[in-house]
Amino acid sequence: MRMAGSWWPRHPRAGTRHHHGRQVTSTMRMRMDEDGGVVVATPSPSRNPAPPRPPGNVHRGGRLPRMRMVGRRNPLGLIVALDENQEASGELFWDDGESADTVESKSYIFYQFRFSNNVLELSVTHNNYSDPHGLEFRRLRVLGLPRAPISIDVTTDGAEVSSNHSLSYDAGTQVAEVRGLRLRLGRSHALRWSLGTRESDRFDCHPWDGASPESCARLGCVWNETTSAERVPYCHYAGLESGYGASDIRYRDTGATADVTLRRPAHRGTGHAHRRQRSAHQGQSSAHGSTSDAHESTGSAHQSQSSAHSSTTDTNGSTGSAHQSQSSAHSSTTDTNGSTGSAHGRTINSNGSTGSAHQSQSSAHSSTTDTNGSTGSAHGSTINTNGSTGSAHGSTTDTNGSTGSAHSSTINTNGSTGSAHGSTTDTNGSTGSAHQSQSSAHRSSGSAHPRAMQPIERLRLEVTYHTDHMLQFKIWDPSIRRFEVPVPLFLPATPTIFDPSVRRFEVPIWDPSVRRFEVPIFDPSVRRFEVPVPLFIFDPSVRRFEVPIWDPSVRRFEVPIFDPSVRRFEVPVPLFLPATPTATPRSRLYDVEIQDWPFGIRVRRRSSGAVVWDSQLPTFAFSDQFLQISTRLPAPFVYGFGESERGTFRHDLGWHTWGMFARDQPPGYKLNSYGFHPFHVGLEEDGSAHGVLLLNSNAMDVTLQPTPALTYRSTGGIFDFYLLMGPGPEDVVREYTALIGRPVLPPYWSLGFQLCRYGYKNDAEIAELVQGMSQAQIPLDVQYADIDYMERQLDFTLSPRFQKLPQLVRDIRARGMRFVLILDPAISANETNYPAYERGLQRDVFIKWPNSDQIIFAKVWPDLPNIVVNDSLDWDTQVELYRAFAAVPDFFRGSTRSWWAREIADVFHNPRNSSLSLKFDGIWIDMNEPSSFVHGAVGGCRDRELNFPPYVPQLASRWEGLSSKTLCMEGEQRLPDGTPVRHYDVHNLYGWAQTEPTLRAVQEVTGERGLVVTRSTFPGSGRWAGHWLGDNTAAWDQMGKSIVGMLDFSLFGVSYTGADICGFFGEPSFELCARWMELGAFYPYSRNHNGNRDKRQDPLAWNSTFASLSRRVLGLRYRLLPLLYSLLFRAHAHGDTVVRPLLHQFVEDRTTWDIDRQFLWGEGLLVSPVLEPGVSEVRAYLPDARWFDFHTDSEVGVRRQFRNFPAPLGHINICHFWTRRSASGGSSGTFRRPWDSEVGVRRQFRNFPAPLGLGGRVRRQFRNFPAPLGHINVHVRGGLIVPQQLPANNTSFSRRQPLLLTVALNDSQEASGILYWDDGVGIDTYEKGEYLLMSFTARSNLLELRVLHGGYEDPNSLKFTEIKILGFSGNVGEVTVTQNSAPVPVAPIIEHDPQKK
């Protein structure tokens, strides 16, 4: 048999692309398998001779006939590879494959294939052969199809036929596949494709409020109200084009660069399906897809006359461009400067195609312009005699050209805006309370802020391959210095191409001991705000031990996008990177492709081919106050982003938008809360993981949709992305913390139980509580004082009701306990003798109005002097009558940091009266978003564009603007080098900037490691502080959400976390608080805390049953503190998570990807708490491992299953395991309980018993406590060795107790573990080498305890006195002990239960 004919197009249309600096023919590599993008039609090699092997590539524009690889009797298929014009052609010759001279005798079938105008034609040009097998074309693949096929109409020999085919489309690869066709060989067929946008692929073109068919059409987008789910956008883009393209793409071994330019100016809404213009006869106008509003308002006269690119739209809604057509300006108005406005600006040619005026800078619907040329748009707005405009639904413009909008708002001659619903503006132009008056619903279309929404035409892209596992891409405006986040990241410093004459803004918070250099790109003529984050660029000669630089195993990359012409704010957070990029072309885990048109960046994992980043989407926008970029996701598994309350750890991709902007906001669903973390971890289908950080500190939100895809929207700065390639989820966190800084190692005493309450009446109440806890033998390590201890809530003061607090603190410390004070940043300005404020004025530490020496005054907690507060009044009235004016320190300034340290030192030493000195051990910093009880400032804000930007992200109370519950965005702060920055750009960095100087001040005065707990956080905050999850509520759902919160902060690099046990607001029931005490015993930061309007909820506030339960639960915690401290060491030294999702340890088990009601301590301790009322069982999942009950030592007996375990009140289900790695350890001994047995369940959900009150003491082990009322299940995974210590009432005493080991053997009869031990309070003990690190290894009947680092000798001569081995399959004859190979004369007591092993 033979096959003849033309296998390849005679004139292949091969496009070109750039790859690593070379221009390459755009081809596709053939894959000789059925599932690949290209399969060559060949008969089965097992039955028939193979035809000549075709070339190894299929050209774009080509089509291949295809057969299944079984022989000539199997169905045929086609592969269509489209070129840049969305066209392709090919041919097929077919005969019997055996006869001679079939061409001469014309006994064959010949097909001409052509794909054009979304029609695939299979045309028979010669047919003189009938195949005996009745072959049909059954399967079709189309490669490079830019939009989804919605339907396909099939005709055969010119007649329409029914077809029961199935249709699929992958938007990421742009591959469409049709199965089930029945196209008979020898007949002519045609398939007409209707292209469109699937519901899951809709990208929101109108993310601000007030979307309508008219406003959507003005954006050049498609309006479709047909949806199958909530939150699906009605207004969406029609194609892939964003208007931006890339040129001068240059690849090098260390990265890539490109110029990114706006090729279709002011046309952000319309997507263009094709890369080249379509002729007029090929397209028709779309109902809503053909207009552009120039983003969406006003431009200068030279831009407003005609359209450079009038768009055309075909019947499927795809848009091309007709370069020669002109636009008309219907209902346009021109100001005294000659600017022209166009209402709709469309022309329709004779073929019905629509042209859109891409360069006209006008707003639809009767725009009006003032004498300065500013334009206001909004359905008939008017200007009054003072120049202010009142608009029912739209923008308003005053005589200075500033624009406002909001339901009957009023504007004075200074442009200040009053409150809606009848509020007025005073003679000073101050702004009243705008309760829902400043809604973005009618402002955010862009017409109110033409400059802020004007697309920046020239951008610069720089890609840096920092390591084989980490890449950065950065997009910025090179003409303006934009704000870049001033948070130090640990990054390599790669030379950046820049204009040396321009000064760019770099985020300036750094460690002066670390060497670095900065290579900025900026324009000296225009200063734009860039996130001020100076990168840590290290001298490789610096000793790694003294200055930690980077972990060479870290896998990450960074991709920044920015406008090179403008200095934009860049986050001033130094990153930790190697001094020079270390990635090599051969060893990188990723490949990067910059797509020229439409502009996009694609990052692919080499090992699997998964595309982890793909931003060639129509949403890309880059303007002064609106940045937007989308990326497709490799799989719908996304974790992270915060801080906000969620019910599940894994994000729901059902069109949910999450705002991020630090705010004094108690936890609530979708409410942006205290911290700001634009970081997420994504899982890929094969279980590989990657992480993405957007280093941008401006207000933003993220939308997740089922494509799967996500969209970032920011109100400023630049795009500065860092991609971490894992490949495991735990690897990603290690890489992320290597980038932003490893988590702090807290002092050992901070692992103990802690008590606090807002509402202690006086120092006597605290003294009574401390004494009562001691008498009840309930462990307590740390006592707090909330703002009650201050005089009128003034920082650095002592209330008359707490004059004995200094002595109480000394007494507490004498008991071996510690004391923590609260401080807020706001400083009262209404005092006659207040040193903190007076010295602050002298040192110039407070945030001011821009270009002024006037302080911005807020109102927070400090009360006015000489007043009596009437608590019966409503909150707003109390704030107005009683709260003092408060100045807010600027912690970027070096003078502020030294001032803050001085004030803290005065509290500790009190040079005026040493008897009143407060010898605290740590500081809790609250209200540091920063919070304000008045919106913006006393008297209101002055810059509407900053407080109400064109796009207000999806935030809590967004109608109140960005200044809601915080400072005015125009507030001016100064970086250490004196560079002024707007609060608009650095608001989210406030808590981050306060944290490090607070820790340094604590360490300076105490001489110890100290503790800082902060409410507001940013990437890198975990280097200095822990975090509590805020003012939660006493409700059952809050417990589960606290687990999600801890898992989130594990990703964010903040290991020391926890929630207020029993809830801050409201009064818990006995059962709720008891269950919460069980769960809270496994928070790394374990504190019971509540508010002043509710009764006390500490363990003594209930009854003896509750006290007993608390004693036992906390006893278990204290027993496990050596394990917890070792885990925190691993986090500090290596970036491991402490509270760990199950998926991090068992990522190969997809069931774990959705488990968030259980969590691990490290690699092995599985906690399964009770989270619902009135239950006696808990449903738990046990992954594939050997699991042992920590208390009964019984094996569960099954794996990879859900199981129900008994859970009576007082019971927590916990399991642990350990995988083998280098670790640390202790000494030898024996440890046994009479009911030892293996759990025996793997990869199952299980219900564990939870009787009332068993805590830290289990029978025959916790000898200091009475018999428990209940039982807490702790399960150890086989392979883990768990270090423990007998508990005591606080860590000062428990650290003197004997050490214990539990060895849980795995299936191979092996186990391992570590122990980290130091003095618990020293500063930088790990960095100085002042610690003990031991590893434990069990194998082949040998348990080895090895000292890996011996830099610390404990003064208590600690010994391991008991060792218990679980799952031992042999018989025990004797135990011998050796030290340094020499026998040790001991006579251990050996107990062995062969039944339980």
Side-chain angles (χ1 to χ4, degrees), residues 1224-1231 1281-1284 1299-1303 1314-1315 1336 1343 1345 1360-1365:
S1224 70
S1227 168
S1228 66
T1230 59
F1231 179 174
I1281 298 178
V1282 183
Q1284 304 148 69
L1299 293 164
L1300 320 169
L1301 285 179
T1302 296
V1303 180
I1314 69 166
L1315 174 68
F1336 311 127
L1343 174 63
L1345 291 72
F1360 289 89
T1361 60
E1362 294 183 345
I1363 296 177
K1364 178 177 62 175
I1365 300 176

PDB file of all heavy atoms in Angstrom, residues 1224-1231 1281-1284 1299-1303 1314-1315 1336 1343 1345 1360-1365:
ATOM      1  N   SER A1224      17.166  18.268  64.437  1.00  0.00           N
ATOM      2  CA  SER A1224      17.894  18.410  65.699  1.00  0.00           C
ATOM      3  C   SER A1224      17.256  17.538  66.756  1.00  0.00           C
ATOM      4  O   SER A1224      16.178  17.001  66.572  1.00  0.00           O
ATOM      5  CB  SER A1224      17.888  19.875  66.133  1.00  0.00           C
ATOM      6  OG  SER A1224      16.616  20.256  66.517  1.00  0.00           O
ATOM      7  N   GLY A1225      17.861  17.393  67.907  1.00  0.00           N
ATOM      8  CA  GLY A1225      17.321  16.451  68.859  1.00  0.00           C
ATOM      9  C   GLY A1225      17.727  16.639  70.285  1.00  0.00           C
ATOM     10  O   GLY A1225      17.985  17.715  70.735  1.00  0.00           O
ATOM     11  N   GLY A1226      17.789  15.536  71.048  1.00  0.00           N
ATOM     12  CA  GLY A1226      18.042  15.639  72.474  1.00  0.00           C
ATOM     13  C   GLY A1226      18.870  14.489  72.987  1.00  0.00           C
ATOM     14  O   GLY A1226      19.956  14.245  72.527  1.00  0.00           O
ATOM     15  N   SER A1227      18.384  13.710  73.966  1.00  0.00           N
ATOM     16  CA  SER A1227      19.148  12.665  74.648  1.00  0.00           C
ATOM     17  C   SER A1227      18.286  11.412  74.713  1.00  0.00           C
ATOM     18  O   SER A1227      17.203  11.377  74.198  1.00  0.00           O
ATOM     19  CB  SER A1227      19.547  13.186  76.017  1.00  0.00           C
ATOM     20  OG  SER A1227      20.029  12.179  76.826  1.00  0.00           O
ATOM     21  N   SER A1228      18.739  10.365  75.352  1.00  0.00           N
ATOM     22  CA  SER A1228      18.019   9.103  75.288  1.00  0.00           C
ATOM     23  C   SER A1228      17.309   8.783  76.589  1.00  0.00           C
ATOM     24  O   SER A1228      17.624   9.297  77.644  1.00  0.00           O
ATOM     25  CB  SER A1228      18.986   7.965  74.946  1.00  0.00           C
ATOM     26  OG  SER A1228      19.892   7.787  76.008  1.00  0.00           O
ATOM     27  N   GLY A1229      16.366   7.831  76.526  1.00  0.00           N
ATOM     28  CA  GLY A1229      15.637   7.382  77.696  1.00  0.00           C
ATOM     29  C   GLY A1229      14.459   6.544  77.247  1.00  0.00           C
ATOM     30  O   GLY A1229      14.332   6.230  76.086  1.00  0.00           O
ATOM     31  N   THR A1230      13.558   6.162  78.150  1.00  0.00           N
ATOM     32  CA  THR A1230      12.383   5.385  77.768  1.00  0.00           C
ATOM     33  C   THR A1230      11.138   6.122  78.192  1.00  0.00           C
ATOM     34  O   THR A1230      11.139   6.920  79.116  1.00  0.00           O
ATOM     35  CB  THR A1230      12.386   3.998  78.440  1.00  0.00           C
ATOM     36  OG1 THR A1230      12.414   4.176  79.854  1.00  0.00           O
ATOM     37  CG2 THR A1230      13.594   3.187  77.996  1.00  0.00           C
ATOM     38  N   PHE A1231      10.025   5.813  77.484  1.00  0.00           N
ATOM     39  CA  PHE A1231       8.776   6.524  77.717  1.00  0.00           C
ATOM     40  C   PHE A1231       7.666   5.587  77.277  1.00  0.00           C
ATOM     41  O   PHE A1231       7.656   5.109  76.160  1.00  0.00           O
ATOM     42  CB  PHE A1231       8.790   7.793  76.872  1.00  0.00           C
ATOM     43  CG  PHE A1231       7.559   8.644  76.977  1.00  0.00           C
ATOM     44  CD1 PHE A1231       7.532   9.882  76.350  1.00  0.00           C
ATOM     45  CD2 PHE A1231       6.454   8.239  77.668  1.00  0.00           C
ATOM     46  CE1 PHE A1231       6.412  10.679  76.417  1.00  0.00           C
ATOM     47  CE2 PHE A1231       5.334   9.040  77.749  1.00  0.00           C
ATOM     48  CZ  PHE A1231       5.323  10.256  77.107  1.00  0.00           C
ATOM     49  N   ILE A1281       9.730  12.037  65.106  1.00  0.00           N
ATOM     50  CA  ILE A1281      10.170  11.997  66.498  1.00  0.00           C
ATOM     51  C   ILE A1281       9.817  13.339  67.126  1.00  0.00           C
ATOM     52  O   ILE A1281      10.238  14.390  66.645  1.00  0.00           O
ATOM     53  CB  ILE A1281      11.680  11.740  66.603  1.00  0.00           C
ATOM     54  CG1 ILE A1281      12.011  10.375  65.988  1.00  0.00           C
ATOM     55  CG2 ILE A1281      12.141  11.800  68.059  1.00  0.00           C
ATOM     56  CD1 ILE A1281      13.488  10.036  66.000  1.00  0.00           C
ATOM     57  N   VAL A1282       9.020  13.307  68.190  1.00  0.00           N
ATOM     58  CA  VAL A1282       8.457  14.506  68.790  1.00  0.00           C
ATOM     59  C   VAL A1282       9.177  14.825  70.092  1.00  0.00           C
ATOM     60  O   VAL A1282       9.069  14.071  71.074  1.00  0.00           O
ATOM     61  CB  VAL A1282       6.956  14.319  69.082  1.00  0.00           C
ATOM     62  CG1 VAL A1282       6.352  15.600  69.636  1.00  0.00           C
ATOM     63  CG2 VAL A1282       6.214  13.870  67.836  1.00  0.00           C
ATOM     64  N   PRO A1283       9.916  15.951  70.154  1.00  0.00           N
ATOM     65  CA  PRO A1283      10.504  16.369  71.435  1.00  0.00           C
ATOM     66  C   PRO A1283       9.439  17.024  72.308  1.00  0.00           C
ATOM     67  O   PRO A1283       8.589  17.768  71.831  1.00  0.00           O
ATOM     68  CB  PRO A1283      11.579  17.373  71.008  1.00  0.00           C
ATOM     69  CG  PRO A1283      11.072  17.943  69.724  1.00  0.00           C
ATOM     70  CD  PRO A1283      10.301  16.849  69.048  1.00  0.00           C
ATOM     71  N   GLN A1284       9.486  16.741  73.603  1.00  0.00           N
ATOM     72  CA  GLN A1284       8.506  17.286  74.543  1.00  0.00           C
ATOM     73  C   GLN A1284       9.196  17.618  75.856  1.00  0.00           C
ATOM     74  O   GLN A1284      10.352  17.286  76.078  1.00  0.00           O
ATOM     75  CB  GLN A1284       7.382  16.273  74.797  1.00  0.00           C
ATOM     76  CG  GLN A1284       6.663  15.793  73.554  1.00  0.00           C
ATOM     77  CD  GLN A1284       6.192  14.362  73.691  1.00  0.00           C
ATOM     78  OE1 GLN A1284       5.289  14.078  74.459  1.00  0.00           O
ATOM     79  NE2 GLN A1284       6.831  13.449  72.976  1.00  0.00           N
ATOM     80  N   LEU A1299      13.100  16.401  79.663  1.00  0.00           N
ATOM     81  CA  LEU A1299      12.689  16.293  78.270  1.00  0.00           C
ATOM     82  C   LEU A1299      12.243  14.867  77.964  1.00  0.00           C
ATOM     83  O   LEU A1299      12.676  13.906  78.614  1.00  0.00           O
ATOM     84  CB  LEU A1299      13.840  16.688  77.347  1.00  0.00           C
ATOM     85  CG  LEU A1299      14.243  18.167  77.398  1.00  0.00           C
ATOM     86  CD1 LEU A1299      15.607  18.374  76.769  1.00  0.00           C
ATOM     87  CD2 LEU A1299      13.200  19.033  76.713  1.00  0.00           C
ATOM     88  N   LEU A1300      11.382  14.746  76.952  1.00  0.00           N
ATOM     89  CA  LEU A1300      10.811  13.466  76.561  1.00  0.00           C
ATOM     90  C   LEU A1300      10.895  13.334  75.045  1.00  0.00           C
ATOM     91  O   LEU A1300      10.959  14.333  74.326  1.00  0.00           O
ATOM     92  CB  LEU A1300       9.344  13.359  76.985  1.00  0.00           C
ATOM     93  CG  LEU A1300       8.950  13.911  78.365  1.00  0.00           C
ATOM     94  CD1 LEU A1300       7.432  13.963  78.492  1.00  0.00           C
ATOM     95  CD2 LEU A1300       9.550  13.051  79.460  1.00  0.00           C
ATOM     96  N   LEU A1301      10.867  12.116  74.571  1.00  0.00           N
ATOM     97  CA  LEU A1301      10.809  11.857  73.137  1.00  0.00           C
ATOM     98  C   LEU A1301       9.727  10.820  72.855  1.00  0.00           C
ATOM     99  O   LEU A1301       9.610   9.824  73.582  1.00  0.00           O
ATOM    100  CB  LEU A1301      12.139  11.334  72.602  1.00  0.00           C
ATOM    101  CG  LEU A1301      13.311  12.306  72.430  1.00  0.00           C
ATOM    102  CD1 LEU A1301      14.531  11.554  71.908  1.00  0.00           C
ATOM    103  CD2 LEU A1301      12.939  13.443  71.498  1.00  0.00           C
ATOM    104  N   THR A1302       8.946  11.055  71.806  1.00  0.00           N
ATOM    105  CA  THR A1302       8.052  10.043  71.267  1.00  0.00           C
ATOM    106  C   THR A1302       8.511   9.739  69.847  1.00  0.00           C
ATOM    107  O   THR A1302       8.568  10.632  68.997  1.00  0.00           O
ATOM    108  CB  THR A1302       6.589  10.520  71.248  1.00  0.00           C
ATOM    109  OG1 THR A1302       6.143  10.723  72.589  1.00  0.00           O
ATOM    110  CG2 THR A1302       5.704   9.489  70.570  1.00  0.00           C
ATOM    111  N   VAL A1303       8.856   8.485  69.597  1.00  0.00           N
ATOM    112  CA  VAL A1303       9.355   8.053  68.295  1.00  0.00           C
ATOM    113  C   VAL A1303       8.249   7.235  67.634  1.00  0.00           C
ATOM    114  O   VAL A1303       7.901   6.155  68.118  1.00  0.00           O
ATOM    115  CB  VAL A1303      10.633   7.209  68.449  1.00  0.00           C
ATOM    116  CG1 VAL A1303      11.144   6.758  67.081  1.00  0.00           C
ATOM    117  CG2 VAL A1303      11.699   7.987  69.210  1.00  0.00           C
ATOM    118  N   ILE A1314      13.940  16.931  65.122  1.00  0.00           N
ATOM    119  CA  ILE A1314      14.966  17.876  65.560  1.00  0.00           C
ATOM    120  C   ILE A1314      14.536  18.526  66.870  1.00  0.00           C
ATOM    121  O   ILE A1314      13.368  18.492  67.259  1.00  0.00           O
ATOM    122  CB  ILE A1314      15.226  18.986  64.516  1.00  0.00           C
ATOM    123  CG1 ILE A1314      14.008  19.920  64.419  1.00  0.00           C
ATOM    124  CG2 ILE A1314      15.592  18.427  63.167  1.00  0.00           C
ATOM    125  CD1 ILE A1314      14.281  21.221  63.671  1.00  0.00           C
ATOM    126  N   LEU A1315      15.518  19.151  67.504  1.00  0.00           N
ATOM    127  CA  LEU A1315      15.271  20.027  68.649  1.00  0.00           C
ATOM    128  C   LEU A1315      16.200  21.230  68.525  1.00  0.00           C
ATOM    129  O   LEU A1315      17.410  21.088  68.383  1.00  0.00           O
ATOM    130  CB  LEU A1315      15.533  19.309  69.972  1.00  0.00           C
ATOM    131  CG  LEU A1315      15.440  20.218  71.225  1.00  0.00           C
ATOM    132  CD1 LEU A1315      14.002  20.668  71.460  1.00  0.00           C
ATOM    133  CD2 LEU A1315      16.002  19.520  72.451  1.00  0.00           C
ATOM    134  N   PHE A1336      17.485  13.771  65.649  1.00  0.00           N
ATOM    135  CA  PHE A1336      17.112  12.451  66.137  1.00  0.00           C
ATOM    136  C   PHE A1336      16.864  11.570  64.916  1.00  0.00           C
ATOM    137  O   PHE A1336      16.109  11.964  64.016  1.00  0.00           O
ATOM    138  CB  PHE A1336      15.846  12.504  66.996  1.00  0.00           C
ATOM    139  CG  PHE A1336      15.866  13.560  68.071  1.00  0.00           C
ATOM    140  CD1 PHE A1336      14.829  14.476  68.176  1.00  0.00           C
ATOM    141  CD2 PHE A1336      16.909  13.637  68.973  1.00  0.00           C
ATOM    142  CE1 PHE A1336      14.836  15.441  69.161  1.00  0.00           C
ATOM    143  CE2 PHE A1336      16.918  14.605  69.962  1.00  0.00           C
ATOM    144  CZ  PHE A1336      15.882  15.508  70.056  1.00  0.00           C
ATOM    145  N   LEU A1343      18.454   4.254  67.819  1.00  0.00           N
ATOM    146  CA  LEU A1343      18.017   5.638  67.967  1.00  0.00           C
ATOM    147  C   LEU A1343      19.250   6.484  68.224  1.00  0.00           C
ATOM    148  O   LEU A1343      19.940   6.305  69.224  1.00  0.00           O
ATOM    149  CB  LEU A1343      17.011   5.783  69.113  1.00  0.00           C
ATOM    150  CG  LEU A1343      16.592   7.222  69.457  1.00  0.00           C
ATOM    151  CD1 LEU A1343      15.872   7.879  68.270  1.00  0.00           C
ATOM    152  CD2 LEU A1343      15.686   7.247  70.692  1.00  0.00           C
ATOM    153  N   LEU A1345      20.946  10.263  68.743  1.00  0.00           N
ATOM    154  CA  LEU A1345      20.764  11.662  69.118  1.00  0.00           C
ATOM    155  C   LEU A1345      22.088  12.366  68.862  1.00  0.00           C
ATOM    156  O   LEU A1345      23.067  12.129  69.567  1.00  0.00           O
ATOM    157  CB  LEU A1345      20.369  11.799  70.599  1.00  0.00           C
ATOM    158  CG  LEU A1345      18.970  11.307  71.010  1.00  0.00           C
ATOM    159  CD1 LEU A1345      18.884   9.794  70.995  1.00  0.00           C
ATOM    160  CD2 LEU A1345      18.610  11.821  72.398  1.00  0.00           C
ATOM    161  N   PHE A1360      17.045  13.932  78.755  1.00  0.00           N
ATOM    162  CA  PHE A1360      15.917  13.163  78.251  1.00  0.00           C
ATOM    163  C   PHE A1360      15.720  11.982  79.193  1.00  0.00           C
ATOM    164  O   PHE A1360      16.610  11.124  79.324  1.00  0.00           O
ATOM    165  CB  PHE A1360      16.181  12.667  76.827  1.00  0.00           C
ATOM    166  CG  PHE A1360      16.164  13.749  75.797  1.00  0.00           C
ATOM    167  CD1 PHE A1360      17.319  14.449  75.486  1.00  0.00           C
ATOM    168  CD2 PHE A1360      14.988  14.080  75.137  1.00  0.00           C
ATOM    169  CE1 PHE A1360      17.306  15.442  74.539  1.00  0.00           C
ATOM    170  CE2 PHE A1360      14.964  15.087  74.183  1.00  0.00           C
ATOM    171  CZ  PHE A1360      16.131  15.776  73.886  1.00  0.00           C
ATOM    172  N   THR A1361      14.606  11.952  79.871  1.00  0.00           N
ATOM    173  CA  THR A1361      14.387  10.925  80.891  1.00  0.00           C
ATOM    174  C   THR A1361      13.446   9.823  80.434  1.00  0.00           C
ATOM    175  O   THR A1361      13.407   8.758  81.051  1.00  0.00           O
ATOM    176  CB  THR A1361      13.829  11.559  82.171  1.00  0.00           C
ATOM    177  OG1 THR A1361      12.581  12.194  81.873  1.00  0.00           O
ATOM    178  CG2 THR A1361      14.814  12.598  82.723  1.00  0.00           C
ATOM    179  N   GLU A1362      12.665  10.072  79.382  1.00  0.00           N
ATOM    180  CA  GLU A1362      11.722   9.061  78.901  1.00  0.00           C
ATOM    181  C   GLU A1362      11.696   9.081  77.375  1.00  0.00           C
ATOM    182  O   GLU A1362      11.666  10.158  76.765  1.00  0.00           O
ATOM    183  CB  GLU A1362      10.308   9.308  79.431  1.00  0.00           C
ATOM    184  CG  GLU A1362      10.182   9.136  80.940  1.00  0.00           C
ATOM    185  CD  GLU A1362       8.752   9.320  81.420  1.00  0.00           C
ATOM    186  OE1 GLU A1362       7.927   9.856  80.657  1.00  0.00           O
ATOM    187  OE2 GLU A1362       8.468   8.928  82.563  1.00  0.00           O
ATOM    188  N   ILE A1363      11.708   7.914  76.806  1.00  0.00           N
ATOM    189  CA  ILE A1363      11.591   7.760  75.355  1.00  0.00           C
ATOM    190  C   ILE A1363      10.555   6.677  75.085  1.00  0.00           C
ATOM    191  O   ILE A1363      10.618   5.581  75.653  1.00  0.00           O
ATOM    192  CB  ILE A1363      12.932   7.374  74.707  1.00  0.00           C
ATOM    193  CG1 ILE A1363      13.957   8.500  74.904  1.00  0.00           C
ATOM    194  CG2 ILE A1363      12.758   7.075  73.224  1.00  0.00           C
ATOM    195  CD1 ILE A1363      15.325   8.167  74.348  1.00  0.00           C
ATOM    196  N   LYS A1364       9.635   6.978  74.212  1.00  0.00           N
ATOM    197  CA  LYS A1364       8.601   6.016  73.836  1.00  0.00           C
ATOM    198  C   LYS A1364       8.704   5.768  72.338  1.00  0.00           C
ATOM    199  O   LYS A1364       8.837   6.708  71.554  1.00  0.00           O
ATOM    200  CB  LYS A1364       7.219   6.543  74.186  1.00  0.00           C
ATOM    201  CG  LYS A1364       6.098   5.609  73.780  1.00  0.00           C
ATOM    202  CD  LYS A1364       4.737   6.140  74.202  1.00  0.00           C
ATOM    203  CE  LYS A1364       4.424   7.461  73.526  1.00  0.00           C
ATOM    204  NZ  LYS A1364       3.052   7.913  73.847  1.00  0.00           N
ATOM    205  N   ILE A1365       8.653   4.489  71.961  1.00  0.00           N
ATOM    206  CA  ILE A1365       8.752   4.121  70.550  1.00  0.00           C
ATOM    207  C   ILE A1365       7.449   3.440  70.146  1.00  0.00           C
ATOM    208  O   ILE A1365       7.053   2.436  70.756  1.00  0.00           O
ATOM    209  CB  ILE A1365       9.959   3.203  70.307  1.00  0.00           C
ATOM    210  CG1 ILE A1365      11.253   3.923  70.710  1.00  0.00           C
ATOM    211  CG2 ILE A1365      10.027   2.769  68.844  1.00  0.00           C
ATOM    212  CD1 ILE A1365      12.501   3.064  70.603  1.00  0.00           C
TER     213      ILE A1365
END
